[in-house]
Structures are given as structure tokens and as C-alpha cells.
């Protein structure tokens, strides 16, 4: 059994008022030096069977159609192996590593 | 035969009974539709309203789970074939999630839930749901949401403006950070309309700030009788 982690973040050009509210609260709590906070979602999927190309393709599809709304959000998919090591999965059209999608 | 307009109830819908009431007051027959219904034809509805509320507790994203309800399959199919569909508040969010309408609704820029009577300008009086208004007419209906900020990329916004698909714009200040003060939009064909404010709460003097919302439902009924 392997775990696949999907991180979903608002695209850089989309305002994140929740992240801003968190950032503004930091100085009040005595935490200085944090200039920006962006808030996102993390999904941990426990996958039955091997995490091969087919499984990852299906996970990519479910991330793209359901976990993320690619109008406003980017996502990344990572595989977490049993020993805890992580490996990124090649970037799709809406992956965060590609930056803003107009 | 009376014109039948269906109103979908999802788990967590709140304004479904008000939407049905608005349809009745406008002179139509309101049909309660359940999110698990898969057969829209059996119900013989001529139009569908997706009501306000918090379907599936707004889990994941507003409207994201409702989009995959069994009933949405025939609703999307029929909408693409020209059936009038109105999405109010959470219903608008569902329509954006299904991509029947472009863009998305995000958290209000000030983070507060807002509940007030909202003045709007009708920008398009040719859709299935706005033909009883006049372009430029100002109406007041309730607005109540936490995630009503309309966003889309600049190209989409320009397209919407260029094609006259912005149907309503906020007046008296932008309540939620919506791009270009957009309160409601339509698809290319003009049969699918989504907006954040609530016309179904403004259909009679006793309970609404105005009766300005009635025109949505009379517009659809007239169009359906004529067709």
C-alpha cells in the first residue's frame, strides 16, 4: 500500500483572503518576518495495489476533475513510499510547478 | 398544461422551498426534484432551478460535490440542449463547477459572511430568466453568502463583457470582491443563468424587501409558454 499526496493551492493570481488573515495575525502572536501566507489543501490518498503509471494517471485525473478546480487552483501529485521518501510525479497542465495558467 | 419548473434539493440546500414558492407565485407549477433522481424526463420539467444553501456542507469547494449528484447529469445534458437553468447562490457555484458557466466563486475578499438587501443593475434582458426586465433596470434583492467573489481570468472576463454575458452587476459598492462587480452571468445561448443574490426571496411584499425577484420566474414561464 502506498500513499499519494495531492496538494492543492490557489493560483498565484487568485486572491487568498484566508492566507492574508493568517499572515496579519502573525505579528500579534509575536511571529515576525513572515511576509506572505498562502493557504491550501492537502489530500492523502491510500492506494490499493501498485502505484504505477496507470494508477497515477487516474489520480491525476481525479485531482484535475475533482480535488482541484483548475479555474482557480493548481495541484501537485507526489508518491510517498513505505520508507517515507517522496517522489514527485511529472507535472500535468495544471501542476503548480508550471506556475500561473492564464 | 401548467408550465413545470423543477427545483433540485441537495443535502444541505436551504432555499429550495422558497424557490418553489417563487415559481408558484409567478404562476408556474413547482416540482421538487431530489438529488438522487436520475431521470429528469420522468418529472416532465421544462426548466430547472438550482437553489441556494450549502450542498454537502460546502465540503471540498462550494458546489464541488453537488456537481457529481446523479441529477446533475441530465440537468447538464438538458441545459446544453437549451433547457432554461437558473443557479442561485450555491446553485451558481454548482453551475461554475460543472463548467456550464465559466469562472469560479471564491471566499469574500473581506472574509465576512454578508447578508443585506442588494441593489443590482440588469445588464442583459435577453436571457431566458431576465426577459421581463429592461436593460439598465435597477432591482433590489437579498444577498447572503460567504463565498461570492466571482473570479475568472482576464480573457474570460473580456469575453463575457464583449458578448453581453454579464447579466447583473452590483451597485452601491462591491460586496465581495467580485471581478468587475459581476453578480451574475449567462452562457452563450442565454438559457443558463447564475447569480449570487437571491431573487426567490424577493417575490412578495410581506417577506421580501421588494418583489423585484419575481421577474426571473415570470420571464422563464413566458419563454416556456411561447416555445
Amino acid at each position: 500500500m502506498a500513499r499519494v499526496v495531492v496538494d492543492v493551492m490557489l493560483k498565484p493570481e487568485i486572491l487568498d483572503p484566508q492566507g492574508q488573515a493568517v499572515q496579519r495575525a502573525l505579528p500579534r502572536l509575536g511571529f515576525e518576518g513572515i511576509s506572505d501566507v498562502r493557504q491550501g489543501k492537502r489530500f492523502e490518498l491510500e492506494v490499493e495495489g501498485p502505484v504505477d503509471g496507470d494508477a497515477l494517471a487516474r489520480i491525476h485525473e481525479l485531482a484535475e476533475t475533482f480535488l482541484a478546480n483548475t479555474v482557480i487552483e493548481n495541484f501537485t501529485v507526489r508518491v510517498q513510499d513505505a520508507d517515507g521518501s517522496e517522489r514527485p510525479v511529472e507535472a500535468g497542465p495544471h501542476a503548480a510547478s508550471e506556475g500561473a495558467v492564464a | 398544461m401548467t408550465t413545470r419548473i423543477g427545483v433540485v434539493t441537495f443535502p444541505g440546500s436551504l432555499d429550495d422551498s422558497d424557490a418553489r414558492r417563487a415559481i408558484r407565485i409567478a404562476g408556474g407549477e413547482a416540482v421538487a426534484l431530489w438529488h438522487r433522481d436520475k431521470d429528469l424526463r420522468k418529472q416532465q420539467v421544462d426548466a430547472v432551478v438550482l437553489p441556494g444553501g450549502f450542498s454537502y456542507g460546502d465540503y471540498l469547494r462550494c458546489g464541488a460535490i453537488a456537481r457529481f449528484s446523479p441529477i446533475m447529469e441530465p440537468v447538464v445534458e438538458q441545459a446544453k440542449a437549451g433547457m432554461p437553468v437558473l443557479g442561485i447562490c450555491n446553485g451558481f457555484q454548482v453551475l461554475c463547477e460543472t463548467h456550464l458557466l465559466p469562472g469560479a466563486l471564491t471566499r469574500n475578499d473581506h472574509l465576512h459572511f454578508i447578508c443585506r438587501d442588494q441593489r443590482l443593475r440588469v445588464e442583459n434582458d435577453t436571457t431566458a430568466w431576465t426577459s421581463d426586465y429592461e436593460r439598465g433596470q435597477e432591482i433590489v434583492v437579498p444577498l447572503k453568502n460567504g463565498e461570492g467573489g466571482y473570479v475568472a481570468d482576464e480573457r474570460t472576463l473580456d469575453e463575457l463583457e464583449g458578448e453581453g454575458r454579464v447579466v447583473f452587476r452590483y451597485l452601491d459598492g462591491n460586496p465581495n470582491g467580485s471581478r468587475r462587480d459581476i453578480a451574475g452571468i449567462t452562457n452563450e445561448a442565454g438559457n443558463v443563468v447564475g447569480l449570487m443574490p437571491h431573487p426567490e426571496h424577493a417575490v412578495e411584499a410581506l417577506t421580501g424587501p421588494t418583489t423585484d425577484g419575481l421577474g426571473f420566474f415570470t420571464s422563464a414561464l413566458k419563454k416556456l409558454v411561447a416555445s
Side-chain angles (χ1 to χ4, degrees):
Chain A
M1 198 121 112
R3 172 178 288 174
V4 175
V5 178
V6 180
D7 285 313
V8 177
M9 294 297 295
L10 282 174
K11 289 180 179 175
E13 69 270 28
I14 301 292
L15 183 74
D16 177 15
Q18 292 183 100
Q20 287 178 345
V22 172
Q23 192 270 334
R24 281 196 301 269
L26 293 175
R28 271 181 271 141
L29 298 169
F31 296 105
E32 302 290 343
I34 308 291
S35 60
D36 190 27
V37 174
R38 304 281 291 173
Q39 183 178 319
K41 297 184 191 119
R42 173 186 168 105
F43 300 88
E44 297 181 345
L45 314 179
E46 305 298 334
V47 182
E48 292 171 353
V51 182
D52 51 15
D54 279 358
L56 285 171
R58 274 187 294 119
I59 288 168
H60 195 275
E61 188 190 350
L62 93 86
E64 188 165 22
T65 54
F66 188 43
L67 300 183
N69 177 351
T70 53
V71 175
I72 51 170
E73 293 168 327
N74 291 321
F75 66 89
T76 56
V77 179
R78 284 173 292 144
V79 181
Q80 220 174 47
D81 287 318
D83 61 3
S85 64
E86 290 193 351
R87 54 191 161 98
V89 174
E90 61 184 274
H94 292 291
S97 56
E98 297 208 347
V101 180
Chain B
M1 203 180 96
T2 333
T3 304
R4 290 162 63 88
I5 300 183
V7 178
V8 178
T9 299
F10 298 104
S13 291
L14 293 179
D15 301 318
D16 42 345
S17 60
D18 267 23
R20 292 199 300 271
R21 186 165 139 270
I23 291 161
R24 286 195 300 272
I25 291 173
E29 185 180 345
V31 181
L33 301 174
W34 185 233
H35 66 109
R36 285 211 181 114
D37 291 348
K38 223 180 166 166
D39 192 353
L40 206 55
R41 218 166 293 157
K42 195 176 65 192
Q43 303 284 356
Q44 295 185 311
V45 294
D46 308 296
V48 165
V49 176
L50 304 178
F54 299 87
S55 58
Y56 297 90
D58 276 354
Y59 289 176
L60 188 58
R61 292 178 308 277
C62 304
I65 300 179
R67 171 201 168 184
F68 291 98
S69 290
I71 195 156
M72 285 309 296
E73 210 176 296
V75 168
V76 170
E77 194 186 296
Q78 292 295 309
K80 284 179 178 165
M83 178 182 73
V85 175
L86 175 66
I88 303 168
C89 196
N90 191 219
F92 184 18
Q93 294 162 338
V94 174
L95 290 176
C96 287
E97 284 283 341
T98 60
H99 307 302
L100 279 174
L101 295 176
L105 283 312
T106 58
R107 187 64 59 113
N108 293 349
D109 57 356
H110 45 70
L111 285 172
H112 297 284
F113 191 95
I114 192 156
C115 182
R116 73 183 196 199
D117 296 333
Q118 177 68 46
R119 211 150 63 89
L120 305 172
R121 187 170 57 237
V122 180
E123 303 278 22
N124 179 337
D125 60 2
T126 64
T127 78
W129 299 92
T130 57
S131 58
D132 267 359
Y133 298 99
E134 272 167 40
R135 190 170 169 199
Q137 188 179 342
E138 294 181 6
I139 63 172
V140 174
V141 302
L143 174 76
K144 47 173 189 137
N145 64 69
E147 304 204 20
Y150 181 74
V151 298
D153 59 60
E154 288 299 311
R155 200 180 54 192
T156 304
L157 292 170
D158 288 341
E159 248 175 53
L160 288 172
E161 304 263 16
E163 294 169 9
R165 289 167 56 194
V166 175
V167 184
F168 300 97
R169 239 185 271 269
Y170 296 114
L171 297 174
D172 304 331
N174 187 325
N176 47 27
S178 288
R179 299 280 168 86
R180 305 193 192 182
D181 298 336
I182 290 172
I185 57 172
T186 185
N187 64 344
E188 274 173 55
N191 63 308
V192 179
V193 170
L195 80 166
M196 285 314 294
H198 287 264
E200 82 284 16
H201 294 328
V203 293
E204 63 180 359
L206 179 67
T207 54
T210 64
T211 55
D212 291 350
L214 205 53
F216 281 75
F217 307 96
T218 54
S219 296
L221 289 170
K222 270 186 206 160
K223 179 183 166 54
L224 290 166
V225 167
S227 65

